[in-house]
Amino acid sequence: MRSDERVFLLGEDIGHFGGAFGVTAGLYEEFGADRVIDTPIAEEGFVGAAIGAAWQGERPVVELQFADFASCPFDMIVTVAAKTHWRSGLAVPIVIRAPNGGGIRGGPFHASSPEGWFVGVPGLKVVCPGTIEDAYGLLRAAIEDDDPVMFFEHKALGSAATVITYGAGVELALGLEHDVEVLDLRTLWPLDREAVLDSIGRTSRALVLQEAARSAGVASHVLALLAAEGFELLDAPPVVLAPPDTPVPFAPELEDAYLPSAQVLAAAVEDLLGY
Amino acid sequence: MATETRLELFRLMLLQRTFEERTSALYRQGRISGSLYDGLGQEAVAAAAGLALEEGDVVAPLNRELATHFARGVTPADAFRNFLGRGNGPTFGRDGNMHFGVPARGVFPLVSMLGNLCPVVVGAALAFKRRGEPHVGLTFLGEGAFSVGDVHEGLNLAGVWQVPAVFILQSHGYSYSTPSSAQMVNTNLAERIQGGWSIPATRIDGTDVLLAFESIKAAVERARAGEGPQAVECVTLRGHGHAAHDDARYVPAELRESFIGRDPIERLEATLQQTGLAEQANAVRRAVVEEIAAALAEAEAAPAPDPATMEHGVYAHPL
């Protein structure tokens, strides 16, 4: 949006509220109501309007609040957007973002993965990123594309949790199979407050992992920061995974129990995600 | 009204009428495939709306508004090439009859799902408003479209966003075979659009092309001046059936009789004759007949589409 004035957003609750999943958070404040347009509940209407704006050279990006709602503007997408270039030479550069997938207890109308409805429709491009980095690159490419693009973004994409750690904890965290952001602090003091708050702004869940004893390290400072400045960002109480407040024991049974293990970390992340 | 404007309205209506008489003959001869729709009796609305627009304005015509295309600079040869499915027509032989548009002329290609283009035109008007450009988007809505949800959404968005969109309501009595009374309770569309969506609307006799032009032109200029969306309901009677296969036997004789003497072309021709323009009107008639004949010859000589190109253009940029 900073690099192309033609790009503007249409969708339900995407303005001041920042979108049901917070994807457009901050954009209304930066770009204003002319470029982040809150619409009435009318998917046929605003997808159609996006097509019309694209006809006139704009680059609209539509947010469907849930991918399930793609059934409402289906006709606009497959009848108007997909077929227009083939039958007239007029390109329709619109992007329709649609959060798909479950895991949020959304039930039959808020957790579907309807990307298959659009696969095989000539004239449509259907993309679905697997990581945050991919989502950025693919979304940029989709907006620059001259064809209509269905952009399915999984609700859990990057929105799971942040593991804040350093040193040997980084490798342990990177080994997690869960969808987490790993924030490698590198510099422990002064704390990179911005990096911590940015990440929690995306994920809403924090786990601090350290090998230092629970009360003697950086974790307390991260928790203090989250309590003071990140409270509104959190969807769950932050978790600290660290050894107990004792010296390091010698016997293998004791040291193994003392150090955070991959299994304990995985269980803690599981609890945090399930909160 | 300026003489040139009256003669131009006459020419546009005649172009549509003559073109459609020709396509009707070609259809019966089996030289046009598929189905065929015309706008007999509604030419005044199409001509007036097309002529009311300025350079840079855009329009999405429907089934019965060929004169709108012609007013925007789409040629009868362009249109014939589409009806005949020629490779160099506006849809390259991929779509037929009046299912076409010419984006270079600001004319959006019609889709069959009537009602869909209402929000599309609202979006084009939104683009004009965002950029501060003094242009207007115009489209048409028949009675059938008022049963379609998209139309409500489009009208509502136009009102909420206060965009320069103009809606021409084609009240011609029927949606295919269904009378308006079976589509809606209140068949006064202007009243509904004004009361329901707070969009200023007037209701006029759509067979009076001079009145239609003045009303639509005023609506277009109000929209252009920043007064938000506008609507004009044009009351006519669909002269033929929904399409060429439909003989419209379901239209009651009394309704047909009530429109006798209200042919829009004959009405304007009579006033032209009364104001000393009979000779100019005859010259227009001759020129239109010649233009249509030449356009048809040009389209018939045009190449058929090449099946090898079938997959071209599915995407603007193939991956």
Side-chain angles (χ1 to χ4, degrees):
Chain A
M1 291 182 76
R2 285 187 190 134
S3 59
D4 188 346
E5 286 205 343
R6 299 171 304 169
V7 178
F8 72 100
L9 314 182
L10 285 166
E12 294 155 3
D13 311 300
I14 63 169
H16 179 66
F17 187 66
F21 293 97
V23 174
T24 57
L27 299 181
Y28 179 85
E29 287 72 19
E30 177 171 352
F31 297 105
D34 287 343
R35 294 186 70 191
V36 184
I37 302 178
D38 269 329
T39 63
I41 299 175
E43 284 83 4
E44 293 97 305
F46 61 74
V47 171
I51 293 167
W55 168 30
Q56 290 310 310
E58 304 285 318
R59 295 267 160 172
V61 179
V62 172
E63 174 172 308
L64 299 180
Q65 200 156 70
F66 290 82
D68 309 61
F69 303 171
S71 54
C72 304
F74 193 77
D75 196 26
M76 283 294 174
I77 298 166
V78 304
T79 299
V80 188
K83 292 177 181 170
T84 292
H85 185 266
W86 186 76
R87 56 189 283 277
S88 74
L90 174 69
V92 182
I94 62 169
V95 177
I96 299 175
R97 292 184 28 247
N100 65 343
I104 59 159
R105 314 293 182 249
F109 308 119
H110 297 81
S112 304
S113 296
E115 49 275 9
W117 298 350
F118 299 97
V119 168
V121 176
L124 283 185
K125 290 170 179 167
V126 184
V127 303
C128 186
T131 65
I132 294 284
E133 293 71 28
D134 252 14
Y136 175 74
L138 276 173
L139 184 57
R140 231 189 137 97
I143 293 169
E144 287 164 3
D145 200 290
D146 286 336
D147 290 304
V149 179
M150 295 299 296
F151 190 92
F152 288 95
E153 50 200 36
H154 199 284
K155 298 184 193 82
L157 199 62
S159 64
T162 303
V163 178
I164 301 159
T165 187
Y166 62 94
V170 174
E171 199 177 326
L172 201 60
L174 289 173
L176 280 166
E177 287 178 357
H178 302 81
D179 188 7
V180 293
E181 271 188 50
V182 177
L183 176 60
D184 179 2
L185 288 171
R186 289 190 186 89
T187 303
L188 305 187
W189 198 255
L191 193 61
D192 188 346
R193 305 157 69 89
E194 204 173 312
V196 172
L197 293 171
D198 270 5
S199 179
I200 303 308
R202 289 189 292 272
T203 66
S204 311
R205 284 177 166 81
L207 183 147
V208 192
L209 169 66
Q210 67 177 22
E211 197 178 315
R214 171 173 295 271
S215 305
V218 77
S220 310
H221 292 285
V222 173
L223 257 59
L225 172 67
L226 291 176
E229 294 177 39
F231 190 75
E232 302 281 341
L233 303 174
L234 291 167
D235 281 348
V239 172
V240 173
L241 190 62
D245 288 324
T246 69
V248 184
F250 161 73
E253 296 82 356
L254 292 179
E255 190 183 18
D256 289 349
Y258 172 90
L259 291 172
S261 68
Q263 291 78 3
V264 170
L265 175 61
V269 168
E270 199 76 40
D271 283 351
L272 178 62
L273 295 177
Y275 178 83
Chain B
M1 190 180 299
T3 302
E4 311 85 77
T5 307
R6 287 189 291 156
L7 287 171
E8 180 60 6
L9 288 167
F10 186 60
R11 189 185 77 88
L12 289 168
M13 291 194 296
L14 262 184
L15 265 184
Q16 176 169 350
R17 178 74 57 87
T18 312
F19 182 98
E20 289 178 342
E21 284 169 355
R22 204 71 201 89
T23 49
S24 175
L26 292 167
Y27 184 75
R28 289 196 301 269
Q29 291 164 356
R31 290 156 74 190
I32 287 179
S33 315
S35 52
L36 191 76
Y37 310 79
D38 70 27
L40 180 69
Q42 297 175 242
E43 296 92 341
V45 182
L51 200 61
L53 298 175
E54 302 286 342
E55 186 72 30
D57 293 342
V58 296
V59 62
L62 310 181
N63 305 32
R64 312 192 194 280
E65 288 99 11
L66 266 184
T68 306
H69 288 261
F70 298 147
R72 302 306 292 156
V74 176
T75 67
D78 289 333
F80 272 128
R81 283 197 292 267
N82 207 67
F83 280 71
L84 294 171
R86 292 300 194 250
N88 58 357
T91 65
F92 326 111
R94 293 164 178 183
D95 210 337
N97 49 54
M98 76 301 152
H99 285 114
F100 73 97
V102 178
R105 300 282 181 189
V107 182
F108 195 86
L110 169 67
V111 299
S112 276
M113 290 65 173
L114 297 176
N116 278 14
L117 298 187
C118 173
V120 171
V121 163
V122 171
L126 175 67
F128 296 146
K129 185 177 180 184
R130 291 187 65 232
R131 300 196 293 245
E133 293 174 359
H135 305 315
V136 170
L138 182 147
T139 191
F140 301 84
L141 299 165
E143 294 105 321
F146 273 81
S147 302
V148 176
D150 299 24
V151 169
H152 166 76
E153 298 193 6
L155 294 174
N156 188 53
L157 289 174
V160 170
W161 292 339
Q162 287 293 295
V163 294
V166 177
F167 306 102
I168 305 302
L169 318 177
Q170 288 274 28
S171 287
H172 64 195
Y174 285 84
S175 310
Y176 205 149
S177 71
T178 307
S180 300
S181 59
Q183 289 281 350
M184 59 190 81
V185 175
N186 179 1
T187 58
N188 185 325
L189 297 181
E191 191 176 288
R192 291 177 64 204
I193 209 165
Q194 182 137 8
W197 291 284
S198 304
I199 293 174
T202 52
R203 187 174 217 240
I204 62 159
D205 176 357
T207 68
D208 180 345
V209 72
L210 302 181
L211 176 64
F213 179 75
E214 279 170 0
S215 306
I216 296 172
K217 184 73 185 163
V220 166
E221 294 315 319
R222 284 195 302 273
R224 196 188 308 287
E227 293 180 33
Q230 309 286 326
V232 180
E233 179 180 8
C234 301
V235 180
T236 59
L237 178 64
R238 194 184 67 198
H240 284 149
H242 173 61
H245 60 266
D246 168 16
D247 63 9
R249 69 182 73 181
Y250 44 79
V251 177
E254 316 84 73
L255 181 56
R256 286 247 177 263
E257 284 156 16
S258 72
F259 273 82
I260 287 173
R262 292 174 64 189
D263 180 282
I265 296 176
E266 290 171 9
R267 285 186 71 172
L268 178 58
E269 194 163 28
T271 68
L272 291 175
Q273 286 162 353
Q274 285 157 17
T275 51
L277 293 169
E279 204 168 303
Q280 286 90 331
N282 285 336
V284 169
R285 273 197 181 276
R286 285 192 299 274
V288 163
V289 168
E290 278 173 29
E291 184 176 356
I292 293 295
L296 178 58
E298 185 184 332
E300 286 196 305
D306 177 0
T309 65
M310 188 118 71
E311 292 179 40
H312 295 183
V314 171
Y315 296 97
H317 288 288
L319 292 174

